Structure formats: C-alpha cells, structure tokens
Amino acid sequence: MNSDIIKKGSQRAPHRSLLRACGLNDQDFDKPFIGIANSYVEIVPGHIHLRHLVEFVKQGIRDGGGIPFEFNTMAICDGIAMNHDGMKYSLPSREIVVSTVESMSKGHSFDGLVLMPSCDKVVPGMLMAAGRLDIPSILVTGGPMEPGHYKGKNADLISVYEACGQLYAGTITEDDLDELERSACPGAGSCSGLFTANTMACITETLGMSLPMCATSLALSEFKEQIAYESGKRIVELVKQNIKPSDLMTQDAFENAIAMDMALGGSSNTALHIPAIASEFEDKGVKVTLDLFEEFSNKIPHITLLSPAGTSTMLDLHNAGGIPAVLKSLDSKINKNCKTCSGKTIGEIIDGATIEDSELIRPLNNPIHEAGGLSILKGNIAPNGSIVKSAAVTEDLLYLKGPAKVYNSEEDAVNAIFSNEIVEGDIIVIRCEGPKGGPGMREMLNPTSAIMGMGIKKVGLITDGRFSGGTRGPCIGHVSPEAMSGGPIGLLQNGDIIEIDISNKTINVLLSQDELDSRKGTVKLPEKSVDGWLAFYRQSVSSADKGAILK
C-alpha cells in the first residue's frame, strides 16, 4: 500500500507517533488510508450539506475496513461570483482544487481517495486530480437542489437573473422579483437545472467515476446518503483490487462522456473541462479535442430537454431513470465494455436500467434535435473554434447576420444593454475576457440574462470569455484564439457585418483576409493589470480550445 511508506518499519516510528496523536491504534496501521477531499464551504449552496454527507462516506470506509482522513478544499459559487471581478477567480479555482488534492494526497501517501465536489469547477478539478494521482478514487457529487417554484412553474437561479431584465423592461414589479428571489433556490444542492455543475456530475457518472444514479440524486435525500455510504465501502474494494482512474477513464470512456453531453444538451463549459481532464491521461493515449466534440455533435442526437433549454429539472431526470436510463437510450451509440467504479461495465448498468419517462428521455428515432446539444463553430473569427449550446437556441435564431457592437469588457456590454444601445439584429462582441485577457475567462450570464429578460429578439453574442451553463440563446463562447493572444476577434470594429450560422457551424466577419491583416497592429486593446494568483495564472494558462489548463 502507498501508506506503508509512512507507517511501516522502525524508521517510521516518528510518523506513527504523529498518527497516534490523530487517534490511530496498532490495528489501524494494517488498514488502507483513504483521503476524503471534501469541498464543504458555508457560502456555496451546492456544498453546505457536504459536512453532513461526509459522515456517511466515513462510516462506509470504516465498515469496508479502511481508515478515513477528511481534508478540505475550496469552492466558488459562480452565481455569487457572477458579473464582478470575483468571476475572474472561478475558472482558475479549478487548478487550485487540483493542486490541493494532489498536495494532500502526495504529502500523506493515501492509498485511495473519495472526492466530494458539487459545483462548477470543483467537479472537473477533482477528476483532474484523480487522473494526475492515478490512485484508486471515487467521486460523490453533492447532488442537485430541489427546484424552486414561482407562480405554479419551476424556477431556478437563471429565472432570477432573467427577471432582473424583466424588471428593467417593466414586465414585472419589484414585488414579483422579491417573491421570485425568495423561492427560486429553496435549499442545499447545485442549481436545479442542467447547468455546468449538474452536467459535470452526469459526465462523472458516465466516465465511471461515481456510482449509478449519483449524478441526479438530490442533495438532501436519503438516496444520496446511501450512495455516500456505499461509495465509502466501495473505495476500500477499489484499493484492494488496485483499480485506478486510468483503468476507468479511457479513450472509450471519454467518448461515452461526450456522447452523453450531446444527448443531454449540457453546459458549453464541458468543452473546457472534458479536454482538461483528458489531458491528465495523455500518457495513456487519451486525446480529446474540439474536433472530437464536433464529430459527436454530428452523430449523437439531442434527446432530453432540461432547463435552461426546457422546463424539466434534474429531479425530473432522476425520476425518469437518471443517467443509466439515458445510457440505455444511447445503447447503440456508446462503448458498453467500459468499466466503472461500481464493478459493473456500462453495458451491465444499461441492462439493469429502466426508462421511466420516454417523453423526457427520448429514443434515438424521436429526438428533440437530430444533432447533439453542443455545436463547434469555426470561421475567420474563431479559426481554432468556438462553442454554442445549440440545444438552447430556438429555430429562428440559428442564423443571424448583423452589425457588430464591440465591447472590451463584460461591464461595458452590460452598460450598453441597460442603456438601450442594443437593437434587434445586432451582434454583440465581448472580447478581452478570455483565459489570459480577463484573466480567468469570466462567464457572461449577466448580459445574456438581461437580453432575455428585456425581451430583445434576434441578437447574437460572441465572446472569447465563456457562458454560464444556464445561458440560452445564440451565445457563442470560447472564441479561440482569444483577443489577448492575437485572435481575429481582437480586430473587429463597430459596424462590421458578422454572420452566425449554427446549423452549418460557421462564424465569420464578412471581411477579406487582406482587410483583417491590414488591421493588425492598429487596434488598441485595454491592458488589464492584475496581481497575485491571477498574474501567475495569466502567464501559464493555455487557450480555451486546449481546455484552459496551466502549462
């Protein structure tokens, strides 16, 4: 066992002395040491219950014959960090999570890990750490919150953001907004729609790194507590059998995950996170690029309609059979021999699954859209690619052509929207918000929600930043290369005619290459001074099409 290096032999007497101070006895030194990376914090709804849930994990580890050692890592709530400088720290926090888990595990020679994430950057961060360490690991994703209810309809965080625009437009009152604010997020758990946190939990289960039904089981449920306990027991078995993340997260498993992403119509942020996780397995022959997303977008139909594209929630998906049921619908399109942490293969999980609601989880021959829920767009604005959540774009907005309104920050764009500078037909360009330019690649939920809430129709938005998993509409993010790296988005000017064709997966400015070349060196982009951690991040971060990982 890894932990023998800190507990076996006469030269480890000092180490055992310190471990005895933590409450260990003679018998414990023969048991596997299991680290528990708990991302419990008191300011993130998706994580406030993890202090309770971890006790079930610990009991499972003890009953399985292991010794649990809980430690903590950070979590940022994207909703609270949104539309101010705090959002610059959200994506970079993924790398802190990875480094924390790596440091704690290496420093203390754990034999196995139970990883407990919930929200947007913590789930991929912990999966990246599992790959980097490659010791037996299992994830217990924290689970979605109950959906809120407002005037007889489901409500969630995105409902509140869009209501701010509705208030400005005069279609609701201050009292309406107050009532919605108080009812949209009723308690612990990740926001109830298919936003980034829940999308990544679904990806985790599909990769085989969490037990079946873990992704969709509600945060505050006995079912989640049982999964936590069983995961604690299971990690001890994984250690005994030496089943490592690299045995589960293979090329085939990543392709299953992308297929699931397309079928669900998940968050566009997966185009950052899945390649970043896969990069930890490059030495095992795993390779995930935007081209692979494009390949699967063309062959995997979109078969579920969840918020923000529809009104159904993660609770509805759970009741319909969860991820095993979606896998069953995808039976002919996926790799069924992939192993999972449960000890079953994907095929065996499918065999035991039941689709309880064929309207919510549709068969392949009756999809919502023939193409997958995410689309990769390329063209002279985004030579290396960009992404749109096409599942959340209505038919009439799949093609847009109009004049550019160019802004060098999210704040400038939001001020323009609320100052009524944006009219129907405009294409809003928000640049200098990429991984380096922001830095940190902020989410643009505030401008997109304002546009939706104010009822402005036929407006496109493109950015080298990114969008919330709750964004809907023709919002194209991750434009690569970004402006700060010399990308063509940095050459755009007000009035340039931009053509967005989501069906044909292109995004272009209607200018000749000679005209674009002539602008190089003439456009003055703002220099955003940063210090501390973000200064280091800016120097080291890769482009969005490479997963915005640190190099």
Side-chain angles (χ1 to χ4, degrees):
M1 291 190 289
N2 287 342
S3 59
D4 284 352
I5 199 170
I6 63 169
K7 64 188 184 185
K8 296 293 185 181
S10 58
Q11 295 301 313
R12 295 298 181 254
H15 305 65
R16 290 194 297 274
S17 182
L18 292 169
L19 291 167
R20 291 181 192 279
C22 296
L24 272 65
N25 57 40
D26 289 349
Q27 291 74 31
D28 295 332
F29 295 123
D30 292 324
K31 299 176 182 178
F33 284 8
I34 309 297
I36 306 174
N38 190 351
S39 55
Y40 163 79
V41 294
E42 290 187 330
I43 196 170
V44 184
H47 297 246
I48 56 175
H49 64 302
L50 296 182
R51 185 162 60 181
H52 167 76
L53 198 62
V54 73
E55 296 305 321
F56 293 89
V57 174
K58 290 178 182 177
Q59 191 58 53
I61 292 171
R62 294 187 189 103
D63 289 352
I67 304 293
F69 293 96
E70 180 186 0
F71 62 93
N72 287 87
T73 186
M74 65 171 296
I76 285 179
C77 177
D78 278 18
I80 296 173
M82 196 71 68
N83 65 280
H84 59 88
D85 276 354
M87 179 49 73
K88 293 180 179 180
Y89 288 86
S90 174
L91 183 58
S93 75
R94 185 186 71 183
E95 313 308 317
I96 296 176
V97 171
V98 179
S99 299
T100 300
V101 176
E102 177 189 1
S103 299
M104 286 295 295
S105 300
K106 288 289 190 180
H108 301 98
S109 300
F110 293 133
D111 299 303
L113 287 170
V114 177
L115 305 164
M116 299 186 66
S118 190
C119 288
D120 298 29
K121 311 308 167 297
V122 190
V123 181
M126 289 192 174
L127 284 168
M128 290 168 70
R132 188 173 301 178
L133 292 161
D134 206 25
I135 62 173
S137 303
I138 193 169
L139 275 76
V140 180
T141 51
M145 69 171 66
E146 289 266 5
H149 298 283
Y150 174 69
K151 295 188 175 179
K153 296 181 179 179
N154 287 335
D156 52 41
L157 177 69
I158 307 306
S159 309
V160 187
Y161 267 100
E162 292 187 0
C164 294
Q166 293 167 357
L167 178 68
Y168 185 84
T171 56
I172 65 170
T173 66
E174 289 273 7
D175 287 343
D176 291 330
L177 181 60
D178 181 70
E179 182 183 347
L180 177 58
E181 171 194 328
R182 295 173 186 276
S183 60
C185 301
S190 49
C191 296
S192 60
L194 188 67
F195 313 142
T196 305
N198 290 324
T199 302
M200 286 309 304
C202 296
I203 295 300
T204 300
E205 188 175 325
T206 308
L207 284 169
M209 290 298 292
S210 62
L211 293 181
M213 302 298 289
C214 184
T216 57
S217 56
L218 291 184
L220 301 181
S221 66
E222 290 185 5
F223 195 95
K224 180 66 76 178
E225 293 171 352
Q226 184 63 30
I227 284 177
Y229 173 79
E230 294 298 336
S231 297
K233 287 188 71 175
R234 184 62 191 156
I235 188 59
V236 181
E237 282 303 307
L238 293 174
V239 169
K240 291 177 180 177
Q241 297 171 30
N242 195 30
I243 297 174
K244 304 184 295 295
S246 60
D247 298 318
L248 308 180
M249 288 193 275
T250 61
Q251 182 71 30
D252 284 349
F254 277 102
E255 292 183 5
N256 283 347
I258 297 173
M260 176 63 67
D261 201 9
M262 295 300 168
L264 293 174
S267 165
S268 59
N269 283 309
T270 57
L272 286 174
H273 298 319
I274 295 177
I277 298 161
S279 71
E280 301 292 343
F281 297 92
E282 283 181 347
D283 62 340
K284 303 293 194 302
V286 173
K287 186 175 183 180
V288 173
T289 65
L290 288 186
D291 289 340
L292 192 59
F293 277 77
E294 178 63 13
E295 177 187 332
F296 275 80
S297 177
N298 290 330
K299 68 182 183 182
I300 302 294
H302 174 217
I303 61 172
T304 71
L305 197 62
L306 303 170
S307 175
T311 58
S312 296
T313 68
M314 292 300 291
L315 176 58
D316 297 317
L317 181 61
H318 184 76
N319 291 337
I323 296 307
V326 182
L327 287 168
K328 193 175 190 74
S329 187
L330 292 173
D331 187 310
S332 63
K333 298 286 189 179
I334 59 171
N335 302 293
K336 290 184 282 189
N337 292 326
C338 291
K339 299 175 182 176
T340 75
C341 65
S342 69
K344 297 180 180 179
T345 64
I346 289 290
E348 289 169 335
I349 290 171
I350 287 172
D351 289 342
T354 302
I355 300 172
E356 302 290 351
D357 183 347
S358 58
E359 282 299 311
L360 183 58
I361 303 174
R362 295 195 185 188
L364 293 177
N365 61 5
N366 183 32
I368 296 157
H369 300 108
E370 293 290 342
L374 299 175
S375 294
I376 307 300
L377 310 187
K378 291 186 177 181
N380 64 1
I381 293 176
N384 294 349
S386 61
I387 191 162
V388 61
K389 187 170 183 173
S390 47
V393 182
T394 56
E395 198 76 25
D396 59 319
L397 297 177
L398 291 173
Y399 178 86
L400 293 171
K401 181 179 178 181
K405 295 273 181 77
V406 182
Y407 304 95
N408 289 326
S409 72
E410 177 190 4
E411 287 82 0
D412 289 348
V414 170
N415 289 337
I417 293 166
F418 283 113
S419 298
N420 298 312
E421 291 180 21
I422 307 301
V423 298
E424 288 198 15
D426 284 344
I427 308 294
I428 304 168
V429 178
I430 306 177
R431 64 190 180 194
C432 305
E433 291 286 7
K436 291 180 181 292
M441 205 178 181
R442 288 193 289 179
E443 289 184 348
M444 303 292 154
L445 181 58
N446 207 32
T448 60
S449 297
I451 290 167
M452 287 292 178
M454 292 169 68
I456 307 172
K457 306 294 185 183
K458 292 199 173 180
V459 173
L461 199 160
I462 67 175
T463 181
D464 54 7
R466 60 195 178 93
F467 293 109
S468 163
T471 292
R472 58 194 177 101
C475 301
I476 293 89
H478 307 191
V479 170
S480 299
E482 63 174 295
M484 189 174 179
S485 296
I489 191 173
L491 304 176
L492 300 180
Q493 298 176 1
N494 286 329
D496 289 342
I497 302 302
I498 292 175
E499 184 180 56
I500 300 169
D501 189 343
I502 295 174
S503 296
N504 290 308
K505 303 185 179 180
T506 60
I507 180 169
N508 289 290
V509 58
L510 302 187
L511 296 172
S512 68
Q513 190 58 49
D514 286 345
E515 172 61 22
L516 287 171
D517 289 342
S518 72
R519 294 182 182 184
K520 291 178 180 178
T522 66
V523 179
K524 180 68 173 176
L525 298 177
E527 294 186 12
K528 300 177 183 179
S529 61
V530 292
D531 53 19
W533 154 234
L534 288 183
F536 171 77
Y537 181 83
R538 169 178 279 175
Q539 291 175 4
S540 305
V541 69
S542 75
S543 62
D545 61 298
K546 304 296 184 186
I549 58 176
L550 296 188
K551 290 288 189 180

